[in-house]
Amino acid sequence: MKKLLTISLISMLLYGCAAYKELKPKPEINPVENGYIEILKDAKQFQLKKDKKYFIVFPPSMQPNFYLILKIKNRDQLNYYLTEVFDQGKGRVIEIPDESPEPGVENVYPISNDVPRYYFVIDLVKSDVLLEMEYRYTARWRYTFEREYASFSRTLAQNSISHEFYEKLGVSVKADEVDWQKEADQVSQKLKALTELSSRLKKIEEIFPPNILNTTDESYQNYLTLKETLEAEVAFQKKYQQLAHLLNEERQTRGDMEAFFGVIPAFIDFFEQKENFSKNVWMAVRDVLKKRIDQVVPYYEQRLAQKNDAKAIKSAIPQLQSLIPLAGLTFDEKFKQLAAFIEGYNQTVDQIWTAKKKFQTIVNQAEKKKTMPDNMFFSEIVTRLSKLQYTLPRVNHPALRPYAHYQCVKLLQKELQKLAAQIKIKLDKYRRADSIVPKINVMRDQNNIRGVLGLLKKNPDLDFLYPMYRELDERSLKSQANSIRKALSLGDFTAAELTLKSLYNDKNFVDYQSILPKKKKVLANLQDSLITAIVTQSRQRALKFIEENVTTLQGIDDLYNNPAFYPVHEPTFYAYQKAQNQQKIKALHAELNRLKTVVFPEMAIKKIYAQFIADPDQNGVLKARAIVAHGKYYKGTDSSIKNRIAECDPNIPKLLNKPKDYRRIFALPVTSNSAGVNEFLFKVNLRIPSPAQYPIFDVYIKLPKELAQTAANAQWYKSIRFNGKELKNEDRFTIVAPGPENNYECQVGPLQIIKTSNNILEVRFTKKAFKVYQISVMAQKPIIKKH
C-alpha cells in the first residue's frame, strides 16, 4: 500500500511539472492595427521560471491577410512557437511558419480572422528570465510595403532613363547622331527591372483589404504615388524602346533592301501609333524612312530586269503602299508605275494559274472518269472548256507595257500561249469523243465488244476513253471466269481446262494492257482452283474407293487397276508456273500411289485378317487369298502386315524356331474346286537352335479331326518333302495313336537340320473340301531307347 502511494505521488509531481501555465497580459492583447505594444501585467513584465512552460492566447485579426509580429529581446533564453491548436502539449503540434525576413530581430506570423484564437507557446525556459516582448497586429500589405518602400523607390530611381534624346530628336539631335543600339540595350535592361518591380507591387495590391481603397492612409498614399510614377516611367520606356529598336533595325539594314523590307511592319506599327509620340519624334522617323523609300524603285527595276521566270513577283510594294500614307508621305510617279506593273503582272500570273487549275480540273473530270459516260458527258466538257478558252487573260495589260521588254513579261506571254494551245488540243479531242461516245454506247448495249474495240482503235489518240469502257473488259473476264468455275463445280475438268486455255489466249479487250494484270491474276487463281480441285477430288475419290472395297474378297487385281488410283484429270495446259503445278500433279500421283500400295493394302489386310482369324471357316480361303492378293501390291514397310501376308500364303514356309512348342499353321487349298476335291499345301521352315553341328529332330504334325479320322487306316497325305526330297516310310514316317482330342499326330523324322540353309518341310494332301485347316507343328530331339 505504501509503495502504491509513493507511485501516485511521483505521477502527480511529474504531471504538475509538465503542465503549461497561461500568461494573461493586462491590459489585454488588442488586435487593432497599431504600433508595437509591450506584453505586461499591471505595468510589469512576466517572470519566467527555468524549466517551466507557458502560453499566451492571442485573439485573431479583425481582417484576413494580417501578420502578428513579435519582438522578443531575450529570445535566446526561450524555445517558442505560434499555433492555432493547443492542448497542453498533447497530440501533434502544428507550428505556424515564421515569415520574418530577419528572424534574429522579429518573428512574423501570418494570421487571419477565421481562427478563434492563436497560442504563443513557450515550451522551454533555459533560465529564470523576465519576458521582454512586444507585439503588433498589421496588414500583410502594409508590413511588406513599409519594409520594401525605400528599396522600391531606389529601384525606380536607378532604372529611370533620361528624356534628353527623345525631346531633342529632330530638333537639335539628328537620328543618325544617336547610338540606338546602346539606347535599346539600356532601356531593355531597365525596363526589365521596372517590370519586375511592377509585378511585386501587384502582388501587394492583391492582398489590400477592401476598406483601404480611397483612404488617406499614409502607406496607401505612398503606394499610389509610387505606382503612378512607375506606370508613367514604364509607359515612356516602352515607347522609347519601340523607337530605339525601330531606328536601330533600320540602321542595321542599310545596304540591304530586302532586310529593310523586313522592318516595314515595325514602321507601320510605329506610324499607326504616332499620336503616342511627340511630333518632333515621328517626323524624325519619317525623314529616315523617306530616304529608304527613295531607293525602292531603282532596286526593284534592277531586280525585275534580271528575273527569268514567269512566277509571281514577291515584293514589299503592298506594305509600302500602306506605310507611305501612314507616314504622311506621297507616292511619286515612278513608284506608282512600278506598283501598277507588279500588281498587273501578279494579277495576270494569278489568272493564268487559276485558268491552269480550272483546265486541269476539267481534264481530270474528262479523263479520269472510270465509268462509261452517257451520251451528253463530253458535250458538257466541251462547253466548259470553250468558256475557259474565251476567258483566258491577255498579256497586254496597260500597266505591263512600260516593262514589256523584261524577260519575265515575255515568259509570261509564252506561258499563256502554251496554255491556250493545250486547251485547243483538248477541245479538239473532246469534240471528237462527243461524236463517237453515242455510237460506242449503242455497241455496248448490244454487247458488241469487238465493235467497241474497232471504233476505239480508229481513234488511238482518244486513249482517255479506254479506262471509261474498261468495265466491258471486266464483264468479258468475269463471264469467262464464271464459265470455268461452273465447269469446276460440275467436275467437268476437261471443259474447265479448255476454257482456261481460251481465256489465256484471248486478247479481245478494250484496254488489253490495263486488263492484263487482272486477267493474269484471275488465270492464276482459276488455274490454282483447277489444280486444287483435281488434287482434292482425286484424293477423295481414292479414299472413298478404299473405304468401299476394303473388305472385298474377290477380284483384288481388278481393284488395283481401278481409275480411282489415278487423277480425275491429267492437265495438259498450264497458264503460269508450269513447273510448280506439274510438281503438284506429280505429288498427287505419288500420293495416289501411296494410297494404292500402302494405305489400301494395309487397311484391307488388317481388316480381312482380323475377320479371318476370328472365324477361319467363314470364307477363310477367300479371305486368305484376298490377303495374299493385296500383299502382291503392298510397298509398305510394316512388318506386322508382311507377317499377315506370309501367314496366309501357303507357298511361304512358316518359321519354326522353338523346340517342343506347337506352332499353328494354316493349310490352304492351292486349287479352286469349290465343290470337289482340292489339293492343300503348307510349308514349315525349320530353324531350331542347337549346339550340335548336325542336329536331328523329329517333327510332329497334329492333324485336325476331319483329317485324323482316316489317318490310322489310310494315307492322309499326298506327299511330304524335306529340302526337295520326298520322304518314304523307310524314312521313319509313322502315325502315332490319337491323343485326348481324338487328333492324330504324324511323326516325321528323324530329320537332320542343316544350319547354313533353309530346311523346308513341305506337306501336300487332298480333300474334298474348300476351306482352311488349322494344323499344329512341333519339333523335338528324337528319343533314343537303350536296349
Side-chain angles (χ1 to χ4, degrees):
M1 185 70 177
K2 183 178 180 181
K3 183 177 180 181
L4 289 174
L5 183 61
T6 302
I7 293 173
S8 300
L9 181 59
I10 292 171
S11 300
M12 291 176 63
L13 290 172
L14 289 174
Y15 179 81
C17 292
Y20 287 80
K21 180 180 180 181
E22 181 179 1
L23 302 179
K24 299 181 179 181
K26 291 184 180 180
E28 294 182 355
I29 295 174
N30 188 353
V32 176
E33 187 174 13
N34 208 332
Y36 286 94
I37 301 173
E38 189 174 5
I39 297 289
L40 297 171
K41 183 176 183 180
D42 298 327
K44 293 181 181 181
Q45 296 172 336
F46 285 101
Q47 177 69 45
L48 305 180
K49 298 295 185 180
K50 181 181 179 182
D51 296 330
K52 295 290 186 179
K53 299 183 180 182
Y54 305 91
F55 70 93
I56 302 173
V57 177
F58 282 87
S61 60
M62 301 178 71
Q63 294 179 351
N65 294 315
F66 257 64
Y67 276 137
L68 172 61
I69 305 173
L70 302 178
K71 286 187 177 182
I72 306 173
K73 290 185 179 180
N74 45 6
R75 65 179 57 239
D76 56 334
Q77 295 297 315
L78 308 173
N79 280 356
Y80 55 88
Y81 58 87
L82 188 72
T83 182
E84 296 179 3
V85 179
F86 177 66
D87 187 18
Q88 291 293 329
K90 299 176 183 178
R92 181 183 175 188
V93 175
I94 302 177
E95 299 181 8
I96 297 175
D98 181 7
E99 295 182 0
S100 173
E102 298 179 283
V105 177
E106 61 186 10
N107 302 103
V108 180
Y109 298 107
I111 63 174
S112 184
N113 61 339
D114 56 359
V115 175
R117 60 188 61 82
Y118 292 90
Y119 298 89
F120 177 74
V121 180
I122 301 173
D123 59 2
L124 176 61
V125 180
K126 299 178 183 178
S127 62
D128 293 347
V129 65
L130 292 174
L131 180 60
E132 299 181 61
M133 175 177 172
E134 294 178 324
Y135 74 92
R136 178 188 178 190
Y137 282 80
T138 183
R140 293 176 67 180
W141 76 267
R142 187 186 305 282
Y143 176 80
T144 304
F145 181 71
E146 287 177 355
R147 288 189 58 83
E148 302 290 342
Y149 178 63
S151 174
F152 290 165
S153 299
R154 284 195 303 274
T155 300
L156 176 58
Q158 291 170 358
N159 290 283
S160 297
I161 62 172
S162 171
H163 292 207
E164 179 183 3
F165 287 147
Y166 183 83
E167 293 171 351
K168 293 181 178 181
L169 185 64
V171 180
S172 59
V173 176
K174 295 181 179 179
D176 286 350
E177 295 174 349
V178 181
D179 186 348
W180 294 110
Q181 179 67 59
K182 179 180 178 182
E183 294 297 306
D185 292 343
Q186 182 184 35
V187 73
S188 294
Q189 183 178 359
K190 293 190 173 186
L191 187 57
K192 180 180 180 182
L194 294 182
T195 302
E196 291 177 359
L197 175 57
S198 178
S199 177
R200 294 175 66 184
L201 289 178
K202 186 177 181 180
K203 288 184 179 179
I204 293 174
E205 187 175 346
E206 289 174 355
I207 58 174
F208 276 168
N211 59 0
I212 196 66
L213 303 179
N214 303 319
T215 66
T216 58
D217 184 279
E218 182 180 357
S219 295
Y220 179 65
Q221 291 300 319
N222 288 339
Y223 172 84
L224 291 179
T225 301
L226 180 65
K227 180 181 178 184
E228 289 171 3
T229 306
L230 174 61
E231 289 176 347
E233 182 63 24
V234 169
F236 174 75
Q237 288 195 17
K238 286 183 177 179
K239 180 168 60 176
Y240 191 68
Q241 184 185 49
Q242 181 181 5
L243 173 67
H245 277 310
L246 176 63
L247 293 178
N248 180 58
E249 287 181 6
E250 182 279 326
R251 184 175 294 174
Q252 297 298 324
T253 66
R254 292 182 183 178
D256 187 347
M257 288 301 292
E258 289 298 327
F260 166 69
F261 295 147
V263 187
I264 290 177
F267 274 104
I268 292 175
D269 186 48
F270 176 84
F271 282 106
E272 284 178 341
Q273 305 174 53
K274 68 180 180 179
E275 67 276 2
N276 295 334
F277 296 87
S278 301
K279 183 176 181 180
N280 63 295
V281 173
W282 65 261
M283 289 186 68
V285 175
R286 185 180 69 177
D287 292 341
V288 172
L289 175 63
K290 186 176 184 309
K291 292 177 183 178
R292 301 304 299 274
I293 290 177
D294 291 342
Q295 302 170 15
V296 170
V297 173
Y299 169 76
Y300 274 120
E301 286 183 340
Q302 180 184 9
R303 204 186 85 176
L304 294 175
Q306 299 172 351
K307 181 176 169 62
N308 60 355
D309 60 51
K311 297 179 181 178
I313 300 170
K314 296 180 180 179
S315 76
I317 295 299
Q319 289 180 306
L320 288 170
Q321 287 175 315
S322 298
L323 173 59
I324 288 173
L326 276 175
L329 299 173
T330 57
F331 302 106
D332 61 22
E333 290 304 317
K334 291 291 289 180
F335 184 90
K336 291 179 181 179
Q337 179 177 289
L338 176 66
F341 167 72
I342 292 177
E343 181 181 2
Y345 182 90
N346 285 345
Q347 186 180 42
T348 305
V349 170
D350 290 343
Q351 289 173 341
I352 292 175
W353 175 247
T354 300
K356 281 184 177 181
K357 289 177 66 177
K358 289 182 179 178
F359 172 64
Q360 192 59 50
T361 299
I362 295 171
V363 170
N364 288 345
Q365 184 178 357
E367 301 188 7
K368 290 190 176 182
K369 184 175 174 61
K370 302 299 182 183
T371 58
M372 291 180 280
D374 58 34
N375 293 347
M376 296 301 296
F377 177 76
F378 280 101
S379 295
E380 296 172 0
I381 294 294
V382 168
T383 299
R384 291 173 57 196
L385 200 54
S386 297
K387 183 177 180 180
L388 178 62
Q389 184 184 47
Y390 178 77
T391 57
L392 282 178
R394 303 289 184 267
V395 189
N396 57 359
H397 196 290
L400 273 58
R401 291 170 188 166
Y403 300 94
H405 60 285
Y406 281 2
Q407 180 68 12
C408 61
V409 178
K410 295 178 181 178
L411 291 174
L412 192 62
Q413 178 69 43
K414 289 183 179 179
E415 197 72 21
L416 182 61
Q417 291 171 351
K418 179 182 176 181
L419 176 60
Q422 290 174 336
I423 292 175
K424 184 177 181 303
I425 291 171
K426 290 295 183 183
L427 261 176
D428 176 64
K429 289 186 176 182
Y430 296 158
R431 288 190 176 107
R432 286 164 49 215
D434 184 40
S435 67
I436 69 170
V437 161
K439 301 176 184 177
I440 291 177
N441 288 344
V442 171
M443 297 177 185
R444 173 202 65 192
D445 295 340
Q446 296 172 348
N447 203 26
N448 183 6
I449 297 178
R450 291 186 179 276
V452 172
L453 181 62
L455 192 54
L456 291 174
K457 295 294 185 182
K458 292 179 182 178
N459 297 273
D461 58 328
L462 303 184
D463 53 353
F464 52 83
L465 291 176
Y466 281 59
M468 301 178 192
Y469 288 95
R470 194 175 295 155
E471 182 183 339
L472 297 179
D473 293 342
E474 296 282 349
R475 289 183 187 178
S476 177
L477 180 60
K478 184 177 180 180
S479 175
Q480 295 183 69
N482 286 340
S483 296
I484 297 170
R485 293 188 185 97
K486 183 177 180 180
L488 288 176
S489 67
L490 296 174
D492 190 348
F493 298 105
T494 301
E497 185 176 15
L498 289 174
T499 310
L500 184 70
K501 184 175 182 180
S502 175
L503 176 57
Y504 177 81
N505 294 321
D506 185 12
K507 294 185 179 180
N508 187 31
F509 292 93
V510 174
D511 188 352
Y512 184 69
Q513 291 304 317
S514 295
I515 197 66
L516 183 57
K518 188 166 186 178
K519 176 186 170 184
K520 288 181 177 179
K521 185 177 180 180
V522 169
L523 281 169
N525 290 337
L526 290 172
Q527 179 179 263
D528 186 63
S529 297
L530 173 62
I531 299 299
T532 300
I534 291 173
V535 170
T536 301
Q537 292 191 31
S538 297
R539 184 182 292 112
Q540 290 174 348
R541 185 176 71 171
L543 291 173
K544 183 179 179 181
F545 177 80
I546 290 172
E547 182 182 359
E548 291 174 348
N549 293 278
V550 70
T551 57
T552 298
L553 300 180
Q554 295 180 319
I556 304 300
D557 291 329
D558 292 337
L559 296 180
Y560 283 92
N561 291 321
N562 194 281
F565 292 114
Y566 297 92
V568 294
H569 179 74
E570 287 287 351
T572 58
F573 170 75
Y574 297 95
Y576 305 107
Q577 298 180 326
K578 181 177 180 180
Q580 181 177 342
N581 284 301
Q582 284 180 329
Q583 185 61 36
K584 289 181 181 179
I585 297 300
K586 183 178 179 181
L588 174 62
H589 277 281
E591 172 67 10
L592 294 176
N593 188 61
R594 188 184 73 85
L595 292 175
K596 174 182 176 180
T597 61
V598 178
V599 176
F600 183 35
E602 279 188 358
M603 290 178 62
I605 289 170
K606 286 180 180 179
K607 197 150 192 175
I608 297 173
Y609 187 80
Q611 295 174 354
F612 173 71
I613 292 299
D615 187 3
D617 292 333
Q618 183 66 33
N619 292 324
V621 176
L622 295 180
K623 290 175 182 177
R625 289 183 177 182
I627 291 171
V628 173
H630 280 294
K632 290 190 300 181
Y633 299 95
Y634 182 58
K635 303 296 182 182
T637 59
D638 190 334
S639 58
S640 67
I641 297 298
K642 293 181 178 180
N643 289 339
R644 289 178 175 87
I645 297 169
E647 285 294 305
C648 297
D649 189 348
N651 290 298
I652 296 178
K654 310 308 182 283
L655 183 64
L656 184 64
N657 57 7
K658 290 184 180 181
K660 299 182 180 180
D661 283 348
Y662 277 104
R663 186 198 192 286
R664 184 180 65 174
I665 294 175
F666 296 112
L668 293 163
V670 293
T671 55
S672 300
N673 189 359
S674 60
V677 176
N678 286 281
E679 181 177 312
F680 291 79
L681 170 68
F682 65 88
K683 295 181 179 181
V684 181
N685 183 3
L686 300 173
R687 285 196 178 186
I688 303 172
S690 173
Q693 184 174 2
Y694 299 104
I696 296 175
F697 287 89
D698 285 333
V699 177
Y700 293 89
I701 302 172
K702 185 180 290 186
L703 302 177
K705 184 176 181 179
E706 187 177 341
L707 295 178
Q709 287 177 346
T710 59
N713 302 320
Q715 183 172 304
W716 64 273
Y717 59 89
K718 179 179 179 182
S719 67
I720 298 178
R721 293 176 178 273
F722 182 66
N723 290 339
K725 178 183 176 184
E726 185 170 353
L727 299 180
K728 304 296 183 180
N729 284 337
E730 58 267 23
D731 295 314
R732 291 195 61 196
F733 177 53
T734 61
I735 294 295
V736 182
E741 298 177 0
N742 202 29
N743 289 337
Y744 283 80
E745 287 187 344
C746 176
Q747 178 181 343
V748 179
L751 300 178
Q752 188 177 70
I753 304 300
I754 302 174
K755 291 186 177 181
T756 58
S757 64
N758 291 330
N759 300 274
I760 308 301
L761 178 65
E762 176 187 304
V763 178
R764 293 179 182 269
F765 62 91
T766 58
K767 192 70 176 175
K768 187 177 181 181
F770 192 70
K771 59 179 290 185
V772 178
Y773 289 104
Q774 297 187 56
I775 296 174
S776 297
V777 180
M778 179 196 58
Q780 65 179 10
K781 292 181 180 180
I783 299 174
I784 302 174
K785 296 182 180 179
K786 295 181 179 180
H787 298 283

